[in-house]
Amino acid sequence: MDNRTILSRFAAGALAGASLLASTAAFAGEITIWCWDPNFNVAIMKEAGARYTAKHPETTFNVVDFAKADVEQKLQTALSSGTTDALPDIVLIEDYGAQKYLQSFPGAFAALSGKIDHSGFAPYKVELMTLDGAVYGVPFDSGVTGLYYRKDYLEQAGFKPEDMQDLTWDRFIEIGKAVEAKTGKKMLGLDVNDAGFVRILMQSAGSWYFDKDGNLSIEGNAALKAALETEQKILQANIYKPAAGWTEWVSTFTSGDAATVTTGVWITGTVKAQADQAGKWGVAPIPKLTVEGASNASNLGGSSWYVIDSSAEKDEAIDFLNEIYAKDVDFYQKILTERGAVGSLLAARTGPAYGEADAFFGGEKVWQNFSDWLAKVPSVNYGIFTNEVDTAVTAHLPDLAKGADVDEVLKAIQSQAEGQIQ
């Protein structure tokens, strides 16, 4: 019988104080973590590890920085082969891919229901990591969306900040026409070969490429149809500046050529990097579709932490995630201030960092707004083939600019998607 087992049995029968000492002594291993992005996920996880080690000095952390694609490939290869010895104790998984891993590799990830209080996190994040009633992850950063807009351009066109509240997309387009007429600026930048904008609009109405049971839902999907119709209206109104790829898209607003940006909160740092634009930006809820279930809240991106079930340090890894990511409100203040990370723990919204006025945005409490919208993001089922269907959607987006009938576009997407997920 090893020391950990002895200590565990001793703890079960000891007094509360002795139990705490026993469990603390049992956690004396190294926790290895795989993630990507050294300035965001890696840096934040190192901060989390340092906070835990301060109270549990016998625990050490090995945070390994890989490219996102490499994390996914290494994880996929190891799980497919059944050889999990080389896997880390904790791995970061993008939310869009969570169900694919959970359903494809049953038993690979530790079930955390009853070990972590998931009721404290944004519901949509918990939903996407739940399978057959069990929750398998610890929610991390949110991609809660907002409408960033140039107050100076809008003012020149005769609009005030209150005019940007509770918009519909049809009204957004009307404003865009007025802005261009008065300022010569396009309303937004748009990459017609990227489906991210469509996904934002679709989820804002509580829908996805799949229904609640995970079945493909393209034709007959009212929210997806409305999203495509909205993009087509924007294209035909010509209120957008075309962009090919990420760099060009970012340049549409950092250069001052576009009046608005609709995307995830993670873009805030990029917007604020333009020091000469301080005081010229505002943030509002995203416009909503005119379909049943429509809202002004949505999500783009985001990821969560998962514990490998076969990990020798499984219990220690779970305790770490529970102590820091599920309970440490101060931790979330620090990563918000230093990294611009809006976490999914709802209690963090009461912290001081979230209530601070942001001078760049004219004194608006931007983080508080985003955290409020976070709680309103509709829950959807990302399914196991989001990336495959996304490819089908992207392939047919250029047809919208040519005036294609949206029902025919949906039919074409349905056909291609069915072929890709066989």
Side-chain angles (χ1 to χ4, degrees), residues 330-350:
D330 182 67
F331 165 68
Y332 284 98
Q333 311 308 303
K334 186 167 186 178
I335 65 174
L336 177 70
T337 301
E338 295 185 355
R339 302 292 168 180
V342 174
S344 305
L345 186 69
L346 298 178
R349 298 181 299 171
T350 61

Side-chain angles (χ1 to χ4, degrees), residues 397-408:
L397 287 180
D399 298 339
L400 298 175
K402 301 172 185 175
D405 181 81
V406 173
D407 285 322
E408 291 301 313

Side-chain angles (χ1 to χ4, degrees), residues 244-263:
W246 171 264
T247 302
E248 280 192 17
W249 176 75
V250 169
S251 180
T252 64
F253 58 88
T254 58
S255 66
D257 289 340
T260 73
V261 188
T262 297
T263 194

Side-chain angles (χ1 to χ4, degrees), residues 146-155 157-169 171-179 187-188 259-262 280-288 296 364 373:
L147 171 64
Y148 300 77
Y149 64 94
R150 286 289 296 264
K151 289 186 285 190
D152 51 342
Y153 295 166
L154 271 294
E155 184 177 348
F159 300 100
K160 299 177 180 179
E162 48 264 38
D163 295 319
M164 302 302 290
Q165 304 296 317
D166 198 28
L167 290 176
T168 63
W169 282 105
R171 179 57 177 159
F172 174 89
I173 293 170
E174 290 176 1
I175 293 174
K177 292 177 181 178
V179 167
M187 190 62 165
L188 75 164
T260 73
V261 188
T262 297
K280 298 178 179 180
W281 284 93
V283 184
I286 67 169
K288 64 181 176 183
N296 297 99
E364 291 183 28
W373 303 334

Side-chain angles (χ1 to χ4, degrees), residues 76-103:
Q76 178 78 24
T77 299
L79 293 177
S80 297
S81 69
T83 305
T84 59
D85 294 348
L87 285 175
D89 304 298
I90 298 172
V91 63
L92 186 66
I93 295 177
E94 187 178 40
D95 291 340
Y96 294 132
Q99 283 294 319
K100 189 166 191 174
Y101 283 109
L102 293 176
Q103 294 185 39

Side-chain angles (χ1 to χ4, degrees), residues 7-20 22:
L7 285 168
S8 177
R9 291 186 177 181
F10 172 75
L15 296 173
S19 175
L20 177 61

Side-chain angles (χ1 to χ4, degrees), residues 7-297:
L7 285 168
S8 177
R9 291 186 177 181
F10 172 75
L15 296 173
S19 175
L20 177 61
L21 291 173
S23 61
T24 301
F27 292 155
E30 180 181 74
I31 297 176
T32 298
I33 301 159
W34 287 359
C35 53
W36 60 87
D37 193 342
N39 293 315
F40 193 78
N41 299 314
V42 175
I44 288 169
M45 183 49 94
K46 287 182 176 179
E47 168 63 23
R51 296 174 84 89
Y52 188 80
T53 300
K55 295 181 179 179
H56 308 269
E58 294 178 340
T59 298
T60 57
F61 291 86
N62 176 27
V63 183
V64 186
D65 175 23
F66 288 120
K68 177 173 172 288
D70 291 339
V71 171
E72 293 169 344
Q73 182 181 16
K74 290 176 180 292
L75 182 61
Q76 178 78 24
T77 299
L79 293 177
S80 297
S81 69
T83 305
T84 59
D85 294 348
L87 285 175
D89 304 298
I90 298 172
V91 63
L92 186 66
I93 295 177
E94 187 178 40
D95 291 340
Y96 294 132
Q99 283 294 319
K100 189 166 191 174
Y101 283 109
L102 293 176
Q103 294 185 39
S104 300
F105 304 105
F109 303 96
L112 303 181
S113 301
K115 299 177 181 178
I116 288 177
D117 181 10
H118 287 94
S119 68
F121 292 95
Y124 87 95
K125 290 281 284 190
V126 178
E127 179 76 19
L128 59 86
M129 58 180 58
T130 301
L131 181 63
D132 297 331
V135 186
Y136 287 87
V138 176
F140 176 37
D141 70 311
S142 170
V144 56
T145 54
L147 171 64
Y148 300 77
Y149 64 94
R150 286 289 296 264
K151 289 186 285 190
D152 51 342
Y153 295 166
L154 271 294
E155 184 177 348
Q156 290 175 44
F159 300 100
K160 299 177 180 179
E162 48 264 38
D163 295 319
M164 302 302 290
Q165 304 296 317
D166 198 28
L167 290 176
T168 63
W169 282 105
D170 288 341
R171 179 57 177 159
F172 174 89
I173 293 170
E174 290 176 1
I175 293 174
K177 292 177 181 178
V179 167
E180 184 169 12
K182 294 288 187 178
T183 70
K185 304 293 185 180
K186 295 294 186 180
M187 190 62 165
L188 75 164
L190 191 62
D191 184 350
V192 296
N193 293 302
D194 187 301
F197 186 67
V198 171
R199 277 185 266 126
I200 291 173
L201 272 57
M202 178 173 54
Q203 184 166 356
S204 73
S207 187
W208 199 249
Y209 299 139
F210 309 94
D211 62 21
K212 293 294 184 183
D213 297 319
N215 300 309
L216 188 65
S217 176
I218 304 298
E219 290 187 90
N221 185 327
L224 176 55
K225 181 177 180 179
L228 294 174
E229 288 175 339
T230 297
E231 179 153 338
Q232 185 173 59
K233 289 177 183 177
I234 289 171
L235 294 170
Q236 293 180 334
N238 196 28
I239 60 168
Y240 73 103
K241 181 173 183 177
W246 171 264
T247 302
E248 280 192 17
W249 176 75
V250 169
S251 180
T252 64
F253 58 88
T254 58
S255 66
D257 289 340
T260 73
V261 188
T262 297
T263 194
V265 64
W266 34 260
I267 204 67
T268 304
T270 303
V271 174
K272 292 177 67 173
Q274 315 309 311
D276 61 328
Q277 296 176 15
K280 298 178 179 180
W281 284 93
V283 184
I286 67 169
K288 64 181 176 183
L289 298 171
T290 51
V291 296
E292 185 178 354
S295 73
N296 297 99

